[in-house]
Amino acid sequence: WKDILSMTLTSPSGFNLQPTHILLLRDAHLKSILSEHAMLGMGNKYRTLDASGIAIFCTDLMPGRRIDRIYQLESESGVRDDGYMAVMKVASSFLTGEGSAASGGNCGNSDDNSGSSQNRISTFLKRTFAHALSPIQPMPTMEDVESWSYKNAGIMSSIYTLSATAHGLSTCMMEGYDARRVKEILRVPDRYGIPLMVATGYEYRGEATDDAMANLTNVVHADFLAGDGVADEEEDASRAKRKTPRLGMREVFFGDTFGAPLDFLLDNHIIEKVEDAA
């Protein structure tokens, strides 16, 4: 799991805003509740119960709130040039289209509704402006925030799925569920949308599965991408310097409910395992 998520963390995103979190659901009781009360169709209900884990992709519909955190990461990394850093905050705020679909209309107070309305007007004006200038010079396509954020989640889910497959796991992407109920059960804030889930686990053993496992000889682990697999120390340092910064794993990945820590990402979990072995 840790290597799969480490590889998933390398996923690119617009302006490096990293708007997607993964909630890794493994608790049998919560999976049972989710299956019975939120999943649609017998196939999705069964997979939710049967899979070792369900990767639930939660993507931020208010990405503007992340800009300061990402700007801090970019500043500390020193990867970007001064020109990029000078326009990063303004450009990312302008192009993400935030607010046009924020919280999917589920905002619970008048202030949120008022802000969403104002942002819809802002997005409309930006689209009008871009459309007017398009015959004169290339202009960006102004997406609403849900389209932008869901697109980034789709990229991340592809990296996750490929990484899981490289480790011999099987996956099934699912979109048949009641997102409102999923949020209630797993305590996901209204600020986040849930574009898809990925059921993950080993297939039941059989001759075809055994053959596939035997062929897994070239798995690229996440530590290789960090430079551990490079013999030349100078090249290793150069590679690390060029990498765009990422949020920490504990900021991106949660266990069972939104915001709850994943056990295998906690240092004391590793210590406990060593003590058990002793």
Side-chain angles (χ1 to χ4, degrees):
W1 281 123
K2 191 170 184 178
D3 194 67
I4 290 169
L5 296 184
S6 295
M7 188 73 80
T8 302
L9 199 64
T10 68
S11 173
S13 59
F15 298 99
N16 197 34
L17 290 184
Q18 304 168 62
T20 310
H21 299 267
I22 292 179
L23 198 164
L24 187 59
L25 177 61
R26 294 178 296 157
D27 181 83
H29 179 62
L30 277 176
K31 286 196 294 182
S32 176
I33 294 174
L34 195 71
S35 174
E36 180 179 356
H37 297 287
M39 303 306 293
L40 306 175
M42 293 307 299
N44 289 336
K45 289 177 179 288
Y46 171 74
R47 292 186 191 95
T48 301
L49 290 171
D50 189 61
S52 299
I54 310 294
I56 299 169
F57 287 76
C58 305
T59 192
D60 198 346
L61 300 181
M62 298 181 181
R65 296 186 180 184
R66 332 173 61 83
I67 292 176
D68 287 343
R69 174 72 176 112
I70 300 303
Y71 184 86
Q72 177 190 9
L73 283 179
E74 297 280 16
S75 298
E76 292 171 353
S77 72
V79 173
R80 310 290 190 181
D81 59 40
D82 292 341
Y84 179 91
M85 295 302 295
V87 302
M88 181 262 184
K89 287 188 175 183
V90 174
S92 57
S93 296
F94 183 82
L95 293 175
T96 54
E98 181 179 343
S100 54
S103 302
N106 291 330
C107 299
N109 59 61
S110 58
D111 290 340
D112 285 342
N113 288 328
S114 176
S116 178
S117 176
Q118 291 174 359
N119 282 314
R120 278 196 294 270
I121 295 171
S122 175
T123 300
F124 171 77
L125 292 175
K126 286 187 286 187
R127 283 177 173 168
T128 302
F129 176 76
H131 181 74
L133 283 184
S134 181
I136 302 172
Q137 65 183 59
M139 293 297 294
T141 300
M142 300 306 303
E143 300 175 294
D144 61 42
V145 67
E146 191 172 59
S147 297
W148 180 88
S149 203
Y150 277 33
K151 176 173 63 178
N152 282 274
I155 296 170
M156 191 174 190
S157 68
S158 297
I159 303 296
Y160 171 88
T161 301
L162 290 170
S163 180
T165 302
H167 280 279
L169 294 165
S170 293
T171 60
C172 179
M173 292 187 175
M174 302 185 294
E175 58 178 353
Y177 49 83
D178 185 325
R180 183 187 63 81
R181 291 189 173 204
V182 173
K183 289 182 179 183
E184 289 179 355
I185 294 169
L186 303 180
R187 302 176 185 175
V188 179
D190 277 345
R191 170 179 165 180
Y192 295 88
I194 304 179
L196 78 162
M197 304 179 186
V198 183
T200 311
Y202 289 107
E203 288 187 17
Y204 292 111
R205 303 297 297 193
E207 185 176 344
T209 307
D210 290 336
D211 290 342
M213 292 292 290
N215 290 328
L216 286 174
T217 56
N218 295 313
V219 176
V220 177
H221 296 277
D223 55 5
F224 179 88
L225 296 183
D228 294 348
V230 182
D232 191 324
E233 292 184 5
E234 200 170 301
E235 183 179 345
D236 180 18
S238 176
R239 181 197 299 258
K241 188 175 180 180
R242 292 194 304 268
K243 285 185 64 177
T244 53
R246 293 292 187 269
L247 295 167
M249 292 189 71
R250 296 185 196 178
E251 292 181 82
V252 177
F253 306 119
F254 305 128
D256 293 324
T257 58
F258 194 92
L262 266 172
D263 52 8
F264 55 79
L265 297 181
L266 297 175
D267 294 336
N268 62 347
H269 175 73
I270 299 173
I271 294 171
E272 289 169 3
K273 289 294 185 184
V274 172
E275 290 176 346
D276 290 345

